[in-house]
Amino acid sequence: MDADYHADPTPEAARDAVRDAAGRAVSLDGVCELAYDGRAASTLAPGRRHVLLKPDGALLAHAATGHQPVNWLAPGATHEIAVEDDELVLRGERDGETLVCRFLAVDLVALFPLDDADSEVSGTEEDLRERVLADPDLVEEGFRPLATERDTAAGAIDVYGKDASGTAVAVELKRRRVGPSAVGQLDRYVDALRRDLHADAEVRGILVAPSVTDRARRLLTENGHDFVPLSP
Amino acid sequence: MDADYHADPTPEAARDAVRDAAGRAVSLDGVCELAYDGRAASTLAPGRRHVLLKPDGALLAHAATGHQPVNWLAPGATHEIAVEDDELVLRGERDGETLVCRFLAVDLVALFPLDDADSEVSGTEEDLRERVLADPDLVEEGFRPLATERDTAAGAIDVYGKDASGTAVAVELKRRRVGPSAVGQLDRYVDALRRDLHADAEVRGILVAPSVTDRARRLLTENGHDFVPLSP
DNA sequence: AAATATATATCGCTA
DNA sequence: TAGCGATGTATATTT
């Protein structure tokens, strides 16, 4: 179906247009107040917003700044559009969460088809893993990968293997500079691996990332783990 | 300034409209291909997209599904709009990242003002902290809060205090159900606090959250920490 | 600018 | 469905 636009519609005309979406996305420009309730709660006084309703139910209300919508509902939400007190009201609901957009004025209603996207991204953690598996010496001279996603009681180890002297090694990969939480993650895996193997088994932990923060570096040292600088 | 719309514009008319934005946001509906390069890299074949350019430089390209844009640039990006080979091309750049939107067809260009939003959200972690400070017995009978955001070598403890018997307590607050990472966080704080006080000081850790996963519960037990169920 | 943690995070995968 | 971790996470706060 084709695109369709209504400038300065009456509330009733806007309502009818939205009801006519038929699988298309809808954008609403105008002055509206917003009320969200669900995981948290918030209200926003009337102001000019850009509201996007996608065919999968996702509802995004954007203000002047920022990447994030100021209010939203996740995909899968269901919606009702109505005129109340001569104002266009869009109500969305999903999983106990609600978002109400009450328009004091509508400047434009646009209906337009949107296509699915299958974007392939490169430079991810998976790319880093492939790099390490293709050339394990990048981690350490003599490192031999034995498994990826090796399961432990604490979760899956990115790359499990043995070093040149045969000691078990847990490798945690990060595609960007890391802070303390990544060290905690590696620490949990190393602990779990020690238990899984046997009580006094020697297990090393190696964090592979482009760089680490000072605090993360200190935690690595305290816990006896190694750091290898490497980018995806 | 007022809103302004151009349906099925020529590439030149679309370009001139975007250049006329003058502090307004711009939305572009049409068929475009996308190319991102920066922290990672991705390309997306031509398809129907909804592109939103905000006055702060944020650029969002939406496909049919999902809360997230399929490609974007962060606020602060700078942009150029041009016609190349009879196609409208929007190039954005910020901090070494680039996003190019090449339109094979433009259905609508809309220019409209957007207002800033100052949304007050309730039900956050801060609300949970206020609740705990107003009634410390919610954490534990006899718990006395002594500081919030108490600094340690591992970071700031949400609530620091002492229990009924005078033992130091680190309280970590989470507004929703928590997994292993929150336990790791609490663990780091307790370790750091033990060092900060003195080598053999007794320090307890208490995780306050609506609920915990099984694995997180196990990690809490292993590390000798307590869990208190409490919602914001 | 760097570091750290929160978020109505979202998203994808796996058991 | 729930749990778990990655994400081009974004965002706010503090140093």
Side-chain angles (χ1 to χ4, degrees), chain A residues 67-68 125 172 174-176 189:
Chain A
H67 163 106
Q68 280 219 213
E125 182 179 303
E172 176 64 26
K174 295 293 174 192
R175 65 176 298 282
R176 41 177 264 180
Y189 295 158

Side-chain angles (χ1 to χ4, degrees), chain B residues 67-68 125 172 174-176 189:
Chain B
H67 163 105
Q68 283 217 219
E125 182 179 301
E172 175 63 27
K174 294 292 173 193
R175 63 177 299 282
R176 37 177 274 180
Y189 297 156

Side-chain angles (χ1 to χ4, degrees), chain A residues 218-219 221-223, chain B residues 152-154 187-201 203:
Chain A
R218 199 174 319 127
L219 286 167
T221 306
E222 282 175 15
N223 294 295
Chain B
T152 72
D187 210 44
R188 294 202 305 277
Y189 297 156
V190 169
D191 274 357
L193 203 50
R194 287 198 180 110
R195 288 162 203 245
D196 285 4
L197 297 178
H198 53 81
D200 54 353
V203 178

Side-chain angles (χ1 to χ4, degrees), chain A:
Chain A
M1 185 168 323
D2 247 10
D4 212 353
Y5 316 105
H6 307 267
D8 295 311
T10 65
E12 288 78 12
R15 175 201 59 198
D16 294 345
V18 173
R19 288 182 176 164
D20 237 27
R24 291 174 293 182
V26 181
S27 73
L28 293 153
D29 294 312
V31 178
C32 75
E33 61 180 359
L34 297 162
Y36 165 77
D37 192 48
R39 285 170 281 185
S42 73
T43 59
L44 190 51
R48 288 185 176 274
R49 315 285 173 225
H50 177 75
V51 175
L52 176 62
L53 174 58
K54 292 192 185 188
D56 69 351
L59 178 61
L60 315 172
H62 276 278
T65 61
H67 163 106
Q68 280 219 213
V70 66
N71 279 118
W72 72 92
L73 283 178
T78 58
H79 303 273
E80 282 177 26
I81 186 91
V83 176
E84 301 176 8
D85 299 328
D86 206 41
E87 293 172 343
L88 181 71
V89 178
L90 174 61
R91 296 172 191 279
E93 193 275 337
R94 190 201 116 120
D95 202 33
E97 296 183 290
T98 59
L99 178 58
V100 181
C101 312
R102 174 177 289 269
F103 284 85
L104 284 68
V106 178
D107 292 328
L108 179 75
V109 180
L111 303 109
F112 45 88
L114 285 180
D115 291 332
D116 271 321
D118 189 17
S119 183
E120 301 264 324
V121 181
S122 61
T124 64
E125 182 179 303
E126 190 174 342
D127 293 314
L128 179 57
R129 177 171 59 202
E130 284 166 15
R131 219 184 137 193
V132 160
L133 293 178
D135 185 3
D137 281 355
L138 287 171
V139 172
E140 187 178 270
E141 179 87 21
F143 173 66
R144 287 172 297 133
L146 298 174
T148 63
E149 302 296 321
R150 186 192 197 282
D151 210 42
T152 73
I157 296 170
D158 284 339
V159 180
Y160 169 77
K162 301 214 165 178
D163 68 13
S165 65
T167 301
V169 178
V171 178
E172 176 64 26
L173 304 171
K174 295 293 174 192
R175 65 176 298 282
R176 41 177 264 180
R177 182 172 176 84
V178 298
S181 65
V183 183
Q185 204 182 334
L186 175 60
D187 211 44
R188 294 202 305 277
Y189 295 158
V190 168
D191 274 357
L193 202 50
R194 286 199 181 108
R195 288 163 203 244
D196 285 6
L197 296 178
H198 52 82
D200 55 353
E202 191 185 354
V203 178
R204 297 177 53 204
I206 302 181
L207 181 62
V208 175
S211 58
V212 290
T213 67
D214 284 351
R215 193 173 280 173
R217 169 77 79 171
R218 199 174 319 127
L219 286 167
L220 278 171
T221 306
E222 282 175 15
N223 294 295
H225 305 313
D226 293 312
F227 168 66
V228 172
L230 191 62
S231 294

Side-chain angles (χ1 to χ4, degrees), chain B residues 41-55:
Chain B
S42 73
T43 59
L44 191 50
R48 287 185 177 273
R49 315 287 173 223
H50 177 75
V51 175
L52 176 63
L53 175 58
K54 292 193 183 186

Side-chain angles (χ1 to χ4, degrees), chain B residues 21-177:
Chain B
R24 292 174 292 181
V26 181
S27 74
L28 293 152
D29 295 312
V31 178
C32 76
E33 61 182 0
L34 296 162
Y36 165 76
D37 192 49
R39 284 171 279 186
S42 73
T43 59
L44 191 50
R48 287 185 177 273
R49 315 287 173 223
H50 177 75
V51 175
L52 176 63
L53 175 58
K54 292 193 183 186
D56 70 350
L59 177 61
L60 315 171
H62 276 278
T65 60
H67 163 105
Q68 283 217 219
V70 66
N71 277 119
W72 71 94
L73 283 177
T78 57
H79 303 273
E80 282 177 26
I81 186 89
V83 177
E84 302 176 6
D85 300 328
D86 206 40
E87 292 172 344
L88 183 71
V89 178
L90 175 60
R91 295 171 191 280
E93 192 277 337
R94 191 201 115 119
D95 201 33
E97 295 184 291
T98 59
L99 178 58
V100 180
C101 312
R102 174 177 290 268
F103 283 85
L104 285 68
V106 178
D107 292 329
L108 179 74
V109 180
L111 302 110
F112 44 89
L114 284 180
D115 291 333
D116 271 320
D118 189 15
S119 182
E120 301 264 326
V121 181
S122 61
T124 64
E125 182 179 301
E126 191 174 340
D127 292 316
L128 179 56
R129 176 170 58 203
E130 284 166 17
R131 222 185 133 193
V132 160
L133 293 178
D135 185 3
D137 280 355
L138 287 171
V139 172
E140 188 177 87
E141 179 86 22
F143 173 66
R144 286 173 297 132
L146 298 173
T148 63
E149 302 296 320
R150 185 193 196 282
D151 210 43
T152 72
I157 296 170
D158 284 338
V159 180
Y160 169 75
K162 301 214 164 178
D163 69 12
S165 65
T167 301
V169 178
V171 178
E172 175 63 27
L173 304 171
K174 294 292 173 193
R175 63 177 299 282
R176 37 177 274 180
R177 183 171 175 85

